Amino acid sequence: MKSIMQQDKQCYICGSTRNLERHHIIHGTANRKKAEELGLWLWLCPEHHRGKDSPHFDANIDRWFKGLAQQRFEKTHSREEWMKAAGRNYLE
């Protein structure tokens, strides 16, 4: 499915279009398929995906992405659907 986070194929943080990687907002092997099906992913360059200032190494960045994804998801879905998908409310 298309990402609900962005339309263009560029790093969500810096705008780079080189060596992009998909970041699944609800990540981990068990959740990757669910994130793909719901469009809960975005493009990141390697530095912003796996570097020290990335959602995989900085919990604040990870929560920020999850909060943004929840806001976008809830424009077309219910809070109950978000909770079923992500298991946690990131807006309160």
Side-chain angles (χ1 to χ4, degrees):
M1 176 177 203
K2 218 167 130 178
S3 172
I4 68 169
M5 299 295 293
Q6 65 187 143
Q7 304 301 312
D8 299 327
K9 189 173 180 180
Q10 63 184 30
C11 177
Y12 191 83
I13 302 296
C14 70
S16 174
T17 57
R18 299 188 66 198
N19 303 315
L20 297 173
E21 301 171 354
R22 277 189 190 210
H23 172 67
H24 297 87
I25 305 297
I26 47 174
H27 42 81
T29 305
N31 292 319
R32 193 169 292 123
K33 183 178 178 185
K34 189 184 321 181
E36 284 286 337
E37 289 170 359
L38 298 174
L40 299 173
W41 60 272
L42 50 80
W43 293 110
L44 294 172
C45 68
E47 179 63 27
H48 288 120
H49 190 216
R50 295 177 280 111
K52 71 178 181 84
D53 295 322
S54 73
H56 291 290
F57 292 98
D58 186 319
N60 291 321
I61 294 170
D62 188 47
R63 279 190 300 276
W64 177 64
F65 278 149
K66 286 179 166 99
L68 289 173
Q70 183 176 350
Q71 286 176 336
R72 298 221 174 113
F73 185 84
E74 289 183 359
K75 286 182 179 182
T76 56
H77 297 79
S78 69
R79 173 74 44 96
E80 282 183 34
E81 289 173 294
W82 172 261
M83 293 301 290
K84 186 177 178 185
R88 183 172 168 195
N89 181 0
Y90 293 93
L91 300 179
E92 294 178 355

